[in-house]
Amino acid sequence: MHKLRFLFRRLRERLWLKPLTYCLAAVAATFVAQAADGTDLGAAVPDIAVDTLDKLLTIIATTMLAVATFAVGSMLSAYATATQTATPRAFELVVADDQSKTALSSFVGAFIFAVVGLVALDTGLYERAGRFALFLLTAALFAWVILTFVRWVDGIARLGRMGATIDKVEAAAAEALARRRRRPNLGGLAPETLGRGPGATVEAEGVGYVLSVDMEALQSAAEASGHVIRVEAAPGTFLHPGRPAATVLDRTASPDETLRRRVSNAFLLGPQRTFEEDPRFGLVVMAEIAGRALSPGVNDPGTAIAVIGRFVRLLSAGADEAEAEAPRFDRVAAPAPAMADVFDDAFTAIARDGAAMVEVGVRLQKAFLALAALPDAAVRRESRRHSRLALARAEAALSLEADRERLRALADQVSLVAAAGA
């Protein structure tokens, strides 16, 4: 069931699902109008001529197909722009843009409604009440399409642009980080509570990234067998032969083949990482965007500076959030994201690629200074460590001593603030 829910959530992001739903709704609407003929509405409403409806529906049918084609072309252009200017890893979020999917679905659905309505009119399906109901639906559809088109034009002007793409990646990363803060161990126990005792490792079937871990299935398997299970591969981990997905601790007896299969099946693998349950992936994608902006061919340090500011916002968000939820699964332990890995994902590439740019180095040190003042000890420790790493890279790349002195002064402040909070 967990895998089905995960796959359904992924299915909702597909570009074709919403247009298909709107098309089915459009077909159903034409038959809803025909149902009005079974009521007494015909005696109280004006008689709408068949020719009037025919002309209205013909106009919609001839224009909506062209508008839908134009919409697809504009969306493909925006997708290509996002891939070329930002990073291919952001393509998934740009495609999932709800406003664009709603616009395309509305245009295609209106076309289907008009075609089916014309066929129904020509076959004499509607009487007086049905024609009036069809007229109201057509008028409402026309108003909806105009409103959608106006809103979509405003949205498509931004879709695929660098700022909009970064916004989408940041929102996805913020959601994943917030979810993991609420359930740092995926709803299970912290691995430290179980220790590192002997156990039998279990590998997942196949090679790929862990997209999701079915903690409920692991809990059920652990309860049925009397074992305790320690997850070794959280979402985002690349699994291959020889790397265990989980360890079954030998509390009673060695796990049998059935238990091994149940544990292995709890790990859903895929060829690419996803944003939903992998909080570090959003940081990696944002760092890629900043790294591309810092390349000699682009030379856009302003984008990298903007990304650094967003990292500060993302990593500071947990300071004011409520405490983590109580563990739901008492026989399964899962690792929480290590703050060292989080900082490496976010800042290492920017510090490396922007080492020769003093403005990027200054922004990095100021970001570490802000993070060093947070109450989280791990955040303070990593802020100090990365401040020193960024300074070392900058000292090796900068040619002007005054620039190096400026960064040293900021790095010293980071160390003082981090030490004061300890």
Side-chain angles (χ1 to χ4, degrees):
M1 185 60 69
H2 174 84
K3 290 185 178 180
L4 291 177
R5 289 197 300 267
F6 179 85
L7 293 175
F8 178 73
R9 291 195 298 269
R10 302 293 298 164
L11 182 65
R12 291 172 57 188
E13 299 174 0
R14 299 299 179 186
L15 186 60
W16 56 265
L17 182 62
K18 199 169 216 179
L20 176 62
T21 304
Y22 275 48
C23 289
L24 295 177
V27 173
T30 59
F31 291 100
V32 168
Q34 193 273 337
D37 289 325
T39 66
D40 297 330
L41 187 62
V45 299
D47 187 10
I48 305 298
V50 174
D51 289 344
T52 301
L53 286 171
D54 188 274
K55 291 178 181 178
L56 287 174
L57 293 173
T58 299
I59 292 173
I60 294 176
T62 54
T63 57
M64 283 302 102
L65 185 59
V67 172
T69 303
F70 167 73
V72 171
S74 300
M75 291 165 62
L76 290 177
S77 176
Y79 299 157
T81 300
T83 301
Q84 294 169 4
T85 60
T87 171
R89 260 63 63 188
F91 177 76
E92 173 187 335
L93 296 177
V94 179
V95 171
D97 178 68
D98 192 63
Q99 190 176 71
S100 295
K101 289 193 294 185
T102 299
L104 179 61
S105 303
S106 299
F107 303 151
V108 176
F111 171 75
I112 297 298
F113 174 85
V115 171
V116 175
L118 285 171
V119 173
L121 277 176
D122 291 341
T123 58
L125 181 65
Y126 300 109
E127 298 179 3
R128 180 169 180 162
R131 290 195 299 273
F132 181 76
L134 184 64
F135 174 76
L136 293 181
L137 288 173
T138 303
L141 176 66
F142 188 76
W144 167 257
V145 166
I146 293 298
L147 178 62
T148 301
F149 182 80
V150 172
R151 292 181 63 249
W152 174 74
V153 168
D154 180 71
I156 199 65
R158 298 175 174 82
L159 185 65
R161 299 297 183 266
M162 181 67 77
T165 303
I166 297 176
D167 287 341
K168 291 182 182 298
V169 178
E170 182 187 5
E175 184 177 351
L177 285 168
R179 186 182 300 111
R180 186 55 67 88
R181 289 188 183 106
R182 292 192 299 269
R183 301 175 62 194
N185 304 105
L186 302 178
L189 304 173
E192 301 80 39
T193 62
L194 302 182
R196 305 299 299 182
T201 59
V202 178
E203 296 182 6
E205 297 181 0
V207 177
Y209 290 98
V210 178
L211 305 182
S212 181
V213 180
D214 190 348
M215 297 291 286
E216 294 180 359
L218 292 178
Q219 174 74 10
S220 176
E223 291 177 346
S225 64
H227 290 82
V228 176
I229 299 173
R230 184 176 62 229
V231 174
E232 305 291 355
T237 303
F238 185 75
L239 288 183
H240 53 80
R243 181 164 187 175
T247 300
V248 179
L249 300 184
D250 296 332
R251 296 294 180 85
T252 55
S254 298
D256 57 19
E257 188 60 31
T258 300
L259 176 59
R260 288 179 175 273
R261 187 166 55 252
R262 292 182 66 179
V263 172
S264 176
N265 290 337
F267 291 82
L268 179 62
L269 304 185
Q272 299 178 1
R273 298 171 71 174
T274 60
F275 293 91
E276 188 173 358
E277 297 187 25
D278 184 357
R280 292 172 52 193
F281 186 48
L283 303 179
V284 170
V285 173
M286 292 179 69
E288 285 184 358
I289 295 173
R292 176 171 289 192
L294 292 171
S295 64
V298 179
N299 192 23
D300 178 21
T303 294
I305 290 173
V307 169
I308 294 170
R310 292 167 188 260
F311 282 148
V312 174
R313 180 161 55 238
L314 288 171
L315 297 175
S316 302
D320 299 327
E321 290 190 0
E323 295 182 358
E325 299 175 358
R328 294 173 49 201
F329 310 108
D330 59 355
R331 301 188 72 86
V332 183
M339 193 56 63
D341 294 334
V342 170
F343 269 70
D344 288 343
D345 293 335
F347 296 111
T348 297
I350 300 177
R352 179 198 64 215
D353 297 335
M357 301 180 182
V358 65
E359 62 271 34
V360 176
V362 168
R363 180 54 59 185
L364 275 172
Q365 294 298 336
K366 289 183 177 180
F368 296 137
L369 184 61
L371 294 172
L374 296 178
D376 191 313
V379 172
R380 294 197 307 271
R381 181 178 63 252
E382 292 305 317
S383 297
R384 183 175 182 177
R385 181 172 74 90
H386 272 267
S387 171
R388 290 300 172 184
L389 289 173
L391 176 62
R393 289 188 170 95
E395 287 183 325
L398 291 172
S399 58
L400 188 63
E401 179 62 24
D403 291 339
R404 293 195 290 267
E405 285 294 337
R406 185 181 180 188
L407 294 181
R408 290 190 195 110
L410 288 171
D412 290 341
Q413 291 184 44
V414 174
S415 297
L416 290 174
V417 172

